[in-house]
Amino acid sequence: MSKANSPDEHGAEVRASRDPLSGREVVFAPARAKRPGNHDAGIEPEAAGEAAACPFCEGHEQETPPELFALGAKAGRQPDARGWKVRVVPNLFPAFERQQVVVHAPAHLRSFADLSEPQLALVAEAWTEVAERAWAQGFDHLLAVVNEGKAAGASRPHSHSQLVWLDRLPPEIATEAPRLRRDSCALCSLLGDLDPALELAERKLTQGSVSLMVAPAGRAPYELLAAPREHLPDGFGNVELLAAALSLAAEGVRRLNAVEGSSPFNLWLHNFQQDGHWHLELVPRLNVFAGVELGAGIYINTLLPEEAAARLREARP
Ligand SMILES: [Zn+2]
Ligand SMILES: [Zn+2]
Ligand SMILES: [Zn+2]
């Protein structure tokens, strides 16, 4: 990560950084947060009749395409009936050849942050089960994403994830792959010498541990990173570590919501079946990416990562 501190033309300090995983350019410009135009983009409150019309709620199984499978199901349950904990169905409007929806809970829970630990473990299990099916059918990559809130592109408020089967590494992950090789892994360096000013939490398991931190050069305020401390390419290959990472991400969202109010976000797994170091990236969508971000690929972040981490650590969710 290169850093250069210099005052802007009004004398406020700006800091140019480079994300070690992607090489993306980020300019930290805290003074811009005071400028007008930053809007509040919270999660929409629950609409009247929302749960009654929700196809993901238990009892509404006939309103989705027939399920692929369900987890936590009661003995003797028929497909597409009540009595499940996590349900996997094809996407009704797929943009890809294979795309599934993982419904995270039978009740109308509107946030990933509201899922219990056992429920998050079932979500991890559903992701790994779909990954095994994708590999068995010759697909090279499974993209797992959670979109929450309209500002993050969520189609429905009931907590769910999308799983997209791809026949190659998508561009964002292909860009990271050379930086995350075992012999010179930028994420191993980051975690091996983890800046206490950025660290938020750690989960220790018998098979290793997983850390949650504020991204050192995130493209948006409060951008988070969760990853195993050990260099592991395939996140779907160890369901306990994946569940721990999802649990840490949910904790990150609870802390974020305590600081900023309920916040829209995108969460995704960057996974590598060959060499690489898997991780979750969580990008809060409190700001809108504008012309400089999209046109130049240079991200302006109005909150320094150490300040974001300090606020999240102090939060009492
Ligand atoms: Zn629902
Ligand atoms: Zn690594
Ligand atoms: Zn990544």
Side-chain angles (χ1 to χ4, degrees), residues 180 185 187-188 230-232 276-277:
L180 300 179
C185 175
L187 188 46
C188 280
E230 198 187 337
H231 184 87
L232 292 169
H277 192 147

Side-chain angles (χ1 to χ4, degrees), residues 21 176 268 270 279 281:
L21 277 61
E176 290 186 346
W268 54 76
H270 274 172
H279 54 278
E281 295 182 16

Side-chain angles (χ1 to χ4, degrees), residues 70-81:
L71 296 176
K74 296 198 171 94
R77 171 187 176 265
Q78 295 296 311
D80 301 313

Side-chain angles (χ1 to χ4, degrees), residues 7-312:
D8 69 8
E9 53 203 323
H10 307 293
E13 190 177 270
V14 296
R15 184 204 289 176
S17 290
R18 190 176 285 278
D19 173 50
L21 277 61
S22 63
R24 186 182 302 115
E25 283 186 46
V26 176
V27 176
F28 288 99
R32 290 175 66 90
K34 297 186 190 82
R35 81 198 167 105
N38 282 9
H39 64 279
D40 286 345
I43 297 276
E44 305 69 34
E46 185 166 339
E50 181 184 291
C54 175
F56 293 166
C57 277
E58 186 173 36
H60 298 189
E61 291 80 8
Q62 304 305 320
E63 295 167 33
T64 65
E67 71 190 31
L68 293 157
F69 62 92
L71 296 176
K74 296 198 171 94
R77 171 187 176 265
Q78 295 296 311
D80 301 313
R82 287 172 166 274
W84 49 274
K85 294 263 195 279
V86 162
R87 197 163 167 259
V88 181
V89 300
N91 188 305
L92 195 52
F93 306 104
F96 297 89
E97 190 184 343
R98 297 255 202 313
Q99 186 174 354
Q100 290 98 30
V101 173
V102 179
V103 182
H104 291 166
H108 193 66
L109 296 183
R110 299 176 90 246
S111 178
F112 190 73
D114 295 336
L115 300 173
S116 66
E117 293 284 310
Q119 207 63 35
L120 286 164
L122 289 175
V123 171
E125 192 182 327
W127 286 14
T128 58
E129 167 68 31
V130 172
E132 278 167 28
R133 294 180 182 205
W135 310 157
Q137 292 190 39
F139 283 78
D140 285 332
H141 191 77
L142 183 69
L143 182 70
V145 304
V146 177
N147 301 324
E148 202 160 296
K150 286 201 176 121
S155 49
R156 298 200 171 275
H158 189 129
S159 183
H160 65 284
S161 43
Q162 304 266 353
L163 298 174
V164 180
W165 301 25
L166 297 169
D167 56 11
R168 67 202 147 82
L169 274 188
E172 289 280 333
I173 302 173
T175 299
E176 290 186 346
R179 295 169 177 272
L180 300 179
R181 289 199 192 104
R182 180 172 290 278
D183 53 2
S184 58
C185 175
L187 188 46
C188 280
S189 307
L190 189 63
L191 294 165
D193 187 22
L194 187 49
D195 185 349
L198 300 182
E199 186 171 15
L200 294 176
E202 188 181 12
R203 293 284 158 86
K204 287 192 165 74
L205 308 170
T206 47
Q207 315 95 315
S209 62
V210 185
S211 285
L212 177 71
M213 64 184 298
V214 171
R219 68 214 99 172
Y222 305 104
E223 184 168 329
L224 302 178
L225 196 55
R229 299 297 287 252
E230 198 187 337
H231 184 87
L232 292 169
D234 183 11
F236 300 114
N238 185 320
V239 69
E240 284 82 13
L241 285 178
L242 181 59
L246 291 177
S247 167
L248 283 173
E251 180 183 334
V253 176
R254 286 191 293 274
R255 290 181 177 278
L256 173 66
N257 291 347
V259 176
E260 294 288 343
S262 71
S263 303
F265 66 86
N266 301 112
L267 166 70
W268 54 76
L269 172 66
H270 274 172
N271 199 61
F272 305 84
Q273 276 186 276
Q274 310 299 323
D275 196 9
H277 192 147
W278 73 265
H279 54 278
L280 298 176
E281 295 182 16
L282 193 151
V283 181
R285 301 300 301 273
L286 298 163
N287 60 318
V288 172
F289 295 132
V292 175
E293 284 84 3
L294 300 178
I298 301 172
Y299 286 79
I300 299 169
N301 188 333
T302 55
L303 184 65
L304 290 168
E306 56 272 23
E307 170 65 19
R311 291 186 196 173
L312 293 173

